[in-house]
Amino acid sequence: MNNQHQEVSQFKARLWWALFLIVLVFAGIVSRLAYLQVWQHQHYVTESDDNRQQLQAIAPTRGLIYDTNGDLLAGNRASHILTLVPEQLAGGRGSIDGVLAELAQVITIDEGDIKRFKRRLNQPRRPHSPVALSFQLNQTEIAQIIVNQHRLPGVRIVPDLVRYYPSDEGFVHALGYVGRINDRELAKLDSTNYSATEHVGKLGVERYYETELHGTVGYQTVETNARGRVIQVLDRLEPVPGKDITLFLDAQLQQTAAKLLEGKRGAIVAIDPRTGGVLAMASAPSYGANQFVTGISNANYQALRKSDDLPLFNRALRGRYPPASTVKPVIAIAGIDSGIISRKYSIWDPGYYQLTEDGRLYRDWKEGGHGRVNMHKSIVESVDTFYYSIAHLMGNTPMTKYLALFGLGQVTIADQPEAIKAVLPTKKWKRANRNASWFRGDSLNLGIGQGFLSATPTQLATMAMLLANKGQWHQIRMIKAIDGQAVEKVSDIGRNDPKQPVNIELKRTSDWNKIHNAMVDVMHGKKGTGRRSGADSSYKIAGKTGTAQVLGIKQDDTYDAEKIAERFRDHGLYIGWAPAKDPVIVLAVIIENGGGGSSAAAPLARKLFDVRILGAMAEEKAEEKAEEKDGATNDG
């Protein structure tokens, strides 16, 4: 009995311990359940949502670029981008090489694309955001990827808009282009605003107005299945598209300039003297911008980079050329306005100039000389000895002072970031760069636009504008309007205005007329150096030709182009405006190794003047006829 009682007691004790353990375990389960369902509810809801929801950045649509007449210069076209989401790959990021190998069996993948993909993969990004592998898939490639989608988890085809330039050739040096964002650019850009953007402005207008053109990133929350495929869009914040910009650039004039430069090396810059707007900016040889948007092949890029003709080089903004005789009107102004010579100053030209008796002969272009030469004749016939004489009298300082007033030695265009200053050689400059003193012979060379002096075509066009406007300055710029709002200066959109020349005020305003009359006779006078290009024109043109020596000629030698390699022949230059009174266009034309400015550059300028002026006249006449017809109809 005692044993039976003891057994019952032990059983009850064990039962109570078992019950206690059951209650304890149940309490633990309940408390854990309460902890998960109540106290940690928000955390695990968020974790759950993260598994089925993703926040995706949406790239804004890049703003469009139009010419002054509303013609499209830079737009966007539909494209399909091949992307990978590393977090959704089978095996995670470690399986990327395997997926790439699988893809290579489906479509052709360029080694350069793979290298760039891996660089982008290591850049900061949001989880589950796609990383671009290949741009501009064709329809065949898209179909092949879709058919094999079941064995390519994490591989997506994303529709996109990419930059497109309708007029591909001849515009890139004015517009610039967009290209894929590189590591250096990524470090400077707003990582949030560019989180879904693959391209950025690289050069020119596209680069300078990147902020306006890009827009603001948008976002969407999407629900996905276990394989990462989007089931539905839960929420969406639309991106703000970039602003459309309008340039002063005239597409017809630009195309004409590019066509005139075909087969040549050189540049043409045209400016509206009434506004400072750039009407045309062509550099030759050129290249197509579209090939850079989605990624140029290494072979094609190396061909451009290694070409002896330097198609990648923007001659209009960065080409440094001796301005030669195109500066003679400015040197003449410097002489008379500074009072160093009188307005009736003249010399006898025997065909050369000497600083000292039996010294070096500084030769004129015309053997035997021009006889008695005054300021008017010196500009019309481009007499070198006249400018040797006044440069000798002036020395360096007065000449460089006036040349600077006309824009030389400084960046004169506001919104082209690649523009350079070139060289305006002062005494201080020569000491710093050549470790030498300024000599009288240096002044003589400066007086005819040679020696150390160099200028870009854009600077020469600026100089022409100031001559045409009788000293009145307008900011040289590409931009005309942003989203229809006129832009008078780049400071209107929050940029710093670059340093610019002040208006030039001569002691006697009538001196402007003397220079203008002489430059008109260059084009229409009986002995004007540009008379052939000005002949039979229905409007008056003012201009100045120039021939820049490239190869030094020994004292007793004569220049013979036929005996000199083509790349060592003279450059041909021209500056001018039309009509001579109330001008609507100023031009600077440079043809490398083309020979004389009167034969190589001035004829091109005449054709551009005709396009701009006669084209406008034709439109005005058509409008007048239409109005007369409407009036007659209304009267009837």
Side-chain angles (χ1 to χ4, degrees), residues 334-355:
I336 60 177
D337 193 61
S338 63
I340 292 173
I341 62 170
S342 70
R343 290 161 181 82
K344 296 182 178 181
Y345 178 78
S346 67
I347 64 163
W348 178 262
D349 170 30
Y352 59 86
Y353 186 84
Q354 287 179 293
L355 287 170

Side-chain angles (χ1 to χ4, degrees), residues 235-286:
D235 190 22
R236 183 179 175 95
L237 175 63
E238 295 293 340
V240 179
K243 298 177 180 178
D244 296 339
I245 68 175
T246 302
L247 306 181
F248 282 102
L249 208 69
D250 185 321
Q252 182 185 9
L253 198 68
Q254 179 75 16
Q255 288 172 337
T256 303
K259 187 174 182 179
L260 290 172
L261 288 173
E262 283 181 1
K264 303 178 178 66
R265 295 183 303 277
I268 294 174
V269 178
I271 295 174
D272 186 338
R274 301 164 299 181
T275 62
V278 177
L279 301 173
M281 179 180 286
S283 175
S286 187

Side-chain angles (χ1 to χ4, degrees), residues 203-500:
L203 294 172
V205 170
E206 291 275 26
R207 176 184 169 191
Y208 189 85
Y209 293 105
E210 173 64 27
T211 301
E212 289 74 20
L213 290 167
H214 178 261
T216 305
V217 69
Y219 295 97
Q220 66 179 7
T221 303
V222 297
E223 184 178 4
T224 60
N225 60 17
R227 293 187 176 184
R229 179 169 294 182
V230 175
I231 299 173
Q232 63 176 325
V233 176
L234 302 176
D235 190 22
R236 183 179 175 95
L237 175 63
E238 295 293 340
V240 179
K243 298 177 180 178
D244 296 339
I245 68 175
T246 302
L247 306 181
F248 282 102
L249 208 69
D250 185 321
Q252 182 185 9
L253 198 68
Q254 179 75 16
Q255 288 172 337
T256 303
K259 187 174 182 179
L260 290 172
L261 288 173
E262 283 181 1
K264 303 178 178 66
R265 295 183 303 277
I268 294 174
V269 178
I271 295 174
D272 186 338
R274 301 164 299 181
T275 62
V278 177
L279 301 173
M281 179 180 286
S283 175
S286 187
Y287 59 96
N290 286 323
Q291 61 185 326
F292 280 86
V293 175
T294 55
I296 186 172
S297 69
N298 186 62
N300 289 341
Y301 178 72
Q302 290 303 322
L304 289 173
R305 192 176 69 85
K306 294 179 180 179
S307 171
D308 292 337
D309 291 332
L310 304 177
L312 295 174
F313 183 61
N314 191 336
R315 289 165 165 83
L317 295 172
R318 302 183 66 81
R320 300 195 303 180
Y321 303 93
S325 297
T326 61
V327 301
K328 287 176 178 176
V330 176
I331 300 299
I333 287 174
I336 60 177
D337 193 61
S338 63
I340 292 173
I341 62 170
S342 70
R343 290 161 181 82
K344 296 182 178 181
Y345 178 78
S346 67
I347 64 163
W348 178 262
D349 170 30
Y352 59 86
Y353 186 84
Q354 287 179 293
L355 287 170
T356 59
E357 190 175 352
D358 299 326
R360 174 184 171 180
L361 299 181
Y362 290 85
R363 298 185 183 277
D364 184 54
W365 66 268
K366 183 179 181 181
E367 187 175 354
H370 296 80
R372 178 61 58 182
V373 180
N374 58 16
M375 185 183 72
H376 184 90
K377 184 177 181 180
S378 75
I379 294 175
V380 174
E381 299 183 32
S382 199
V383 183
D384 290 338
T385 50
F386 185 86
Y387 294 93
Y388 290 143
S389 174
I390 62 176
H392 185 196
L393 293 172
M394 282 193 289
N396 176 273
T397 303
M399 285 191 290
T400 54
K401 172 189 173 184
Y402 280 86
L403 289 169
L405 289 175
F406 281 85
L408 273 65
Q410 56 197 294
V411 174
T412 59
I413 188 166
D415 50 2
Q416 285 284 9
E418 288 78 40
I420 63 169
K421 295 180 179 180
V423 177
L424 179 58
T426 61
K427 294 179 180 179
K428 184 178 179 181
W429 175 90
K430 189 179 180 187
R431 174 60 65 186
N433 290 273
R434 299 301 176 95
N435 194 27
S437 300
W438 187 266
F439 300 113
R440 290 183 296 173
D442 294 331
S443 292
L444 267 60
N445 286 328
L446 180 60
I448 62 165
Q450 294 274 177
F452 301 116
L453 178 65
S454 68
T456 67
T458 302
Q459 289 172 327
L460 293 181
T462 302
M463 182 176 75
M465 182 193 75
L466 289 163
L467 285 167
N469 287 345
K470 298 182 178 180
Q472 184 180 5
W473 169 264
H474 296 291
Q475 185 182 80
I476 311 299
R477 63 199 187 281
M478 305 292 294
I479 193 72
K480 181 179 182 180
I482 298 179
D483 274 350
Q485 298 296 315
V487 177
E488 299 296 332
K489 289 184 177 182
V490 297
S491 57
D492 292 351
I493 57 172
R495 310 293 174 83
N496 293 327
D497 283 328
K499 183 181 178 181
Q500 60 189 40

Side-chain angles (χ1 to χ4, degrees), residues 400-629:
T400 54
K401 172 189 173 184
Y402 280 86
L403 289 169
L405 289 175
F406 281 85
L408 273 65
Q410 56 197 294
V411 174
T412 59
I413 188 166
D415 50 2
Q416 285 284 9
E418 288 78 40
I420 63 169
K421 295 180 179 180
V423 177
L424 179 58
T426 61
K427 294 179 180 179
K428 184 178 179 181
W429 175 90
K430 189 179 180 187
R431 174 60 65 186
N433 290 273
R434 299 301 176 95
N435 194 27
S437 300
W438 187 266
F439 300 113
R440 290 183 296 173
D442 294 331
S443 292
L444 267 60
N445 286 328
L446 180 60
I448 62 165
Q450 294 274 177
F452 301 116
L453 178 65
S454 68
T456 67
T458 302
Q459 289 172 327
L460 293 181
T462 302
M463 182 176 75
M465 182 193 75
L466 289 163
L467 285 167
N469 287 345
K470 298 182 178 180
Q472 184 180 5
W473 169 264
H474 296 291
Q475 185 182 80
I476 311 299
R477 63 199 187 281
M478 305 292 294
I479 193 72
K480 181 179 182 180
I482 298 179
D483 274 350
Q485 298 296 315
V487 177
E488 299 296 332
K489 289 184 177 182
V490 297
S491 57
D492 292 351
I493 57 172
R495 310 293 174 83
N496 293 327
D497 283 328
K499 183 181 178 181
Q500 60 189 40
V502 296
N503 288 344
I504 304 168
E505 297 182 2
L506 302 184
K507 293 182 177 67
R508 285 178 51 173
T509 56
S510 60
D511 290 338
W512 289 114
N513 296 329
K514 295 179 184 296
I515 298 299
H516 281 210
N517 292 337
M519 294 182 72
V520 169
D521 281 351
V522 167
M523 302 301 296
H524 302 285
K526 292 181 179 181
K527 294 186 177 181
T529 56
R531 62 188 181 278
R532 291 183 181 178
S533 297
D536 302 322
S537 173
S538 60
Y539 53 91
K540 291 291 184 182
I541 304 170
K544 183 71 191 77
T545 61
T547 304
Q549 183 176 306
V550 176
L551 185 67
I553 304 298
K554 294 182 180 179
Q555 182 74 33
D556 298 324
D557 288 349
T558 56
Y559 177 81
D560 186 350
E562 296 300 323
K563 296 181 180 179
I564 299 174
E566 188 266 344
R567 290 182 182 271
F568 294 107
R569 295 174 187 171
D570 294 342
H571 298 325
L573 299 92
Y574 177 86
I575 64 165
W577 63 86
K581 291 185 178 179
D582 299 322
V584 298
I585 178 174
V586 300
L587 276 175
V589 181
I590 292 180
I591 304 301
E592 290 183 14
N593 314 117
S598 59
S599 60
L604 275 61
R606 168 63 189 276
K607 292 178 181 178
L608 287 165
F609 286 145
D610 284 349
V611 169
R612 182 66 176 175
I613 295 172
L614 298 183
M617 288 180 176
E619 289 179 7
E620 289 176 3
K621 288 180 180 179
E623 289 177 2
E624 289 175 2
K625 288 182 179 180
E627 289 176 0
E628 290 174 2
K629 185 177 180 180

Side-chain angles (χ1 to χ4, degrees), residues 17-184:
W17 277 109
L19 183 62
F20 175 75
L21 288 174
I22 291 171
V23 171
L24 183 64
V25 170
F26 184 74
I29 291 172
V30 170
S31 61
R32 180 62 177 170
L33 186 63
Y35 174 77
L36 294 175
Q37 294 290 334
V38 180
W39 284 280
Q40 292 294 311
H41 172 78
Q42 190 60 46
H43 171 74
Y44 286 103
V45 166
T46 303
E47 288 285 331
S48 176
D49 287 342
D50 285 345
N51 287 332
R52 67 181 184 86
Q53 296 179 12
Q54 295 176 18
L55 181 65
Q56 297 177 345
I58 308 172
T61 302
R62 193 170 181 85
L64 308 179
I65 302 177
Y66 296 96
D67 87 332
T68 189
N69 298 312
D71 293 331
L72 184 67
L73 299 178
N76 304 304
R77 65 178 176 183
S79 175
H80 290 85
I81 302 175
L82 177 62
T83 68
L84 274 69
V85 182
E87 291 81 2
Q88 295 176 2
L89 300 179
R93 288 185 59 148
S95 65
I96 286 175
D97 289 336
V99 174
L100 292 175
E102 288 277 351
L103 272 171
Q105 296 176 10
V106 177
I107 63 171
T108 301
I109 302 177
D110 186 80
E111 285 296 325
D113 285 340
I114 294 176
K115 290 179 181 178
R116 286 186 286 269
F117 165 76
K118 290 186 175 180
R119 282 203 302 268
R120 285 191 287 267
L121 190 65
N122 293 323
Q123 294 169 354
R125 64 182 185 86
R126 291 177 177 273
H128 297 278
S129 61
V131 181
L133 171 62
S134 180
F135 296 81
Q136 202 67 34
L137 294 175
N138 58 43
Q139 292 300 317
T140 301
E141 291 171 329
I142 293 172
Q144 289 172 335
I145 293 171
I146 292 174
V147 168
N148 291 276
Q149 188 75 61
H150 63 282
R151 61 189 183 98
L152 297 172
V155 176
R156 294 183 186 175
I157 297 174
V158 179
D160 193 18
L161 292 175
V162 297
R163 206 52 155 177
Y164 173 67
Y165 302 96
S167 300
D168 198 18
E169 295 288 343
F171 281 76
V172 66
H173 291 298
L175 296 179
Y177 62 86
V178 300
R180 298 178 192 173
I181 299 174
N182 58 38
D183 295 344
R184 178 174 49 83

Side-chain angles (χ1 to χ4, degrees), residues 173-205:
H173 291 298
L175 296 179
Y177 62 86
V178 300
R180 298 178 192 173
I181 299 174
N182 58 38
D183 295 344
R184 178 174 49 83
E185 292 162 338
L186 190 67
K188 296 179 181 179
L189 294 171
D190 183 339
S191 59
T192 300
N193 200 30
Y194 281 79
S195 56
T197 302
E198 297 288 347
H199 298 84
V200 69
K202 297 285 187 177
L203 294 172
V205 170

